[in-house]
Amino acid sequence: MTTYRGQAETDIAAADVSRLAEELTVCLVHAHLIESDVHTKVYHGVWQNRDVVLRQYNHVGLIHSLCQTLAGSQAHRAWTASHRLLNLRIRTARPVAYIEQRRGPLLWQSWSVMELVDRPSWGEVLCDESVPEGCKRRLIQQTVRLVDRLAARGISCRQIKRADVLCDAKRIMLANPENVTIHRFGCLPWLWRAGDITRFLCDAGLERERGLPEPMFLEVRRAGGRLWVSRDLQNRELEEVFWGGSPALGRQFELQPVQSSVASCVCRFQATVNSVPTTIYLKEYLDRSIWDLLKHMLRPSRAVRAMRASQMLSRHRFQTPQVVAVGNLRHNAADSKSSTHRLRTSRCFMATCEVADAVPIHTYLMPVPGEPAPCTLRERRELLRQFGLTVGRMHREGIAHGDLRSGNVLVCRREHRWEFFLIDNERTREYRYLSHRLRRKNLVQVNLLPWGISNTDRLRFFLPYLLVNPSVRPRRRQYARKIMAITRKRLLSLKKRGRLDHAIRVAGSGREAHPRDECASTGDSRSADSR
């Protein structure tokens, strides 16, 4: 025996449910099919003299009908969730009616009727180039606030599709609340809230970059050590020069020293790679103490760790300079007569290609007084926002940079978008769980700019960072206070030691360098971080 149950709005609630089901069946004959799958069909039609969206839920088989009978129909869940959201003053498409068809005790078919909202979906607006970037940012912030409001009221949107969120240039609303889950225990939505936000942000342009190809290296072993050469950037002549060490480089190329820290020596030179003249930066890692010699017996050298970190960053869609070669070579005592080098039994280096038109990020954030600004105010603000998204995405992937000072981040503008390149990666690591201490450490390093940055600019960086790190949002005020307190303490310490001006001059080295840290312009100059 077939029976009908359901509920409708006040103005049509008095009508017989069976008659409403007959009218709905006639409406579906003339309606336009929008979407269809095994269990659900979505129509656009006219019912009760109004434009509506009709969803027909078909039950496939006896077991499926039994499960729906015990759990309740999807149409009834959509009706209940819609009224719950409207009572909470959350913008939702207005429900018109729902009808259930039963065959005996089993629920066999159901229909949900919602008012038609003629607006584009959330993803379509964010992909529309004609919509200003400011409007897109406001829509993203509204989405994050919406997820927060739902979680605070015991509601999660784990099953909501991005196509079910409609928006215009100003506001967003839910078109199909059937997939909203109302929990009895209010703590559950807070556990899933970070995943809900991340899923929405995948359509916000924050995840559009494709995975970068992981650099591949060819390992060459000889009696003098090991050399890793990039498969894409091979040059036999240059490879032989690397085996010869610094004297061979000095004889073959004109080395130009680059300012670096006390723990490394950097130079650059011109070479031909793949038949193209290329500027190569060579960084040789120096032993800082006797402990470095012991460490290298237990773990890979700093050059090898930097190479592996570059591969790991490429897998996670972060950009680094192209690595030409990495070497672990046994030290020849004839190369140098200094007592420091006599202690060394090996030398390690990494050579990378220069990134065209890339400069350290502090060039834009700390303009020189009295000189023309390197970019407009709007471009500078967009730089801060995109940098915040990049650092936030890195932390969300569980990656902590070893030294995220402004000199270790190169930036260039291409196709109306800022691109960031991370260097000095020998201490960059990927963690299964990124601790708050490592997060704060990187954020303090980013903020170590003594002038040129206002508190509003720091917020322009921090708010996009929070967008892709929703787990930090509940303690964002504590984070901000802690980071600013540590930053002020670090800057005051540098000022007291009289090293603030010097730290600004050598910001590109990534560490506090000593005035004596200069590479000789002879063949003994060794070298560096790639640009």
Side-chain angles (χ1 to χ4, degrees), residues 259 362 366 498-509 515:
Q259 194 170 28
H362 60 73
M366 295 170 51
R499 300 184 53 81
L500 185 58
D501 294 337
H502 181 64
I504 295 172
R505 288 197 302 271
V506 298
S509 66

Side-chain angles (χ1 to χ4, degrees), residues 76 104 106 108 154 285 295 305 385 387 393 397 414 476 513:
H76 181 260
L106 290 180
W108 197 255
Y285 298 89
K295 290 178 183 178
R305 282 184 278 143
R385 295 188 185 100
F387 186 40
R393 191 164 61 87
E397 299 287 343
R414 294 175 182 169
R476 59 187 180 274

Side-chain angles (χ1 to χ4, degrees), residues 78-97:
W79 172 269
T80 305
S82 299
H83 284 280
R84 175 72 176 270
L85 295 176
L86 289 174
N87 291 336
L88 296 174
R89 297 183 179 180
I90 294 174
R91 291 172 58 84
T92 309
R94 190 172 185 81
V96 178

Side-chain angles (χ1 to χ4, degrees), residues 175-449:
N176 180 25
E178 120 196 20
N179 293 321
V180 166
T181 305
I182 302 174
H183 298 274
R184 295 181 179 179
F185 303 99
C187 63
L188 293 179
W190 286 103
L191 299 178
W192 297 326
R193 161 179 163 276
D196 295 342
I197 295 176
T198 302
R199 185 173 57 257
F200 280 111
L201 293 183
C202 289
D203 249 2
L206 308 180
E207 302 288 349
R208 292 180 189 172
E209 305 91 345
R210 295 181 179 179
L212 300 176
E214 182 178 342
M216 301 298 292
F217 296 94
L218 178 65
E219 183 178 356
V220 182
R221 295 195 179 195
R222 292 186 183 178
R226 287 190 294 179
L227 187 68
W228 291 266
V229 183
S230 173
R231 293 181 182 272
D232 300 329
L233 303 173
Q234 292 189 43
N235 184 322
R236 295 298 180 184
E237 181 183 359
L238 186 59
E239 180 181 335
E240 293 298 327
V241 173
F242 284 142
W243 280 109
S246 300
L249 279 173
R251 290 190 299 267
Q252 186 75 16
F253 303 101
E254 182 181 353
L255 302 181
Q256 300 176 359
V258 178
Q259 194 170 28
S260 63
S261 69
V262 69
S264 62
C265 194
V266 181
C267 68
R268 62 184 175 188
F269 58 92
Q270 293 286 335
T272 301
V273 178
N274 291 340
S275 303
V276 178
T278 307
T279 300
I280 295 180
Y281 281 79
L282 183 70
K283 178 174 183 178
E284 183 170 353
Y285 298 89
L286 307 178
D287 295 331
R288 293 163 290 190
S289 64
I290 191 63
W291 297 110
D292 277 350
L293 300 176
L294 300 177
K295 290 178 183 178
H296 292 165
M297 297 178 184
L298 303 176
R299 65 178 182 179
S301 65
R302 294 160 63 192
V304 174
R305 282 184 278 143
M307 176 186 67
R308 293 176 180 175
S310 297
Q311 292 178 300
M312 179 267 295
L313 290 170
S314 297
R315 288 196 299 269
H316 288 279
R317 306 177 301 281
F318 297 102
Q319 300 190 81
T320 59
Q322 285 185 297
V323 180
V324 178
V326 175
N328 275 347
L329 308 180
R330 291 185 177 87
H331 178 65
N332 185 0
D335 290 349
S336 177
K337 298 180 180 180
S338 65
S339 59
T340 304
H341 289 170
R342 288 176 186 172
L343 296 175
R344 304 170 60 203
T345 58
S346 64
R347 51 183 292 267
C348 58
F349 66 87
M350 182 172 68
T352 55
C353 292
E354 181 183 38
V355 180
D357 303 326
V359 296
I361 193 172
H362 60 73
T363 305
Y364 294 100
L365 301 182
M366 295 170 51
V368 179
E371 294 186 4
C375 62
T376 63
L377 182 61
R378 179 173 301 213
E379 292 175 341
R380 187 171 182 269
R381 291 175 176 174
E382 186 63 25
L383 168 65
L384 287 168
R385 295 188 185 100
Q386 293 188 18
F387 186 40
L389 290 174
T390 301
V391 177
R393 191 164 61 87
M394 183 174 67
H395 284 178
R396 192 187 68 194
E397 299 287 343
I399 301 173
H401 195 279
D403 193 354
L404 198 60
R405 301 197 193 191
S406 59
N408 289 330
V409 181
L410 305 182
V411 61
C412 62
R413 186 170 179 82
R414 294 175 182 169
E415 298 180 358
H416 308 289
R417 183 178 179 85
W418 294 100
E419 293 187 1
F420 303 93
F421 296 82
L422 303 175
I423 62 176
D424 196 9
N425 296 309
E426 62 264 21
R427 292 186 293 162
T428 301
R429 288 186 57 189
E430 180 182 8
Y431 298 86
R432 180 174 298 181
Y433 172 76
L434 189 62
S435 65
H436 296 299
R437 181 186 64 84
L438 293 174
R439 289 177 184 268
R440 287 195 295 265
K441 176 185 175 182
N442 277 173
L443 294 177
V444 169
Q445 291 166 345
V446 168
N447 279 274
L448 280 178
L449 297 172

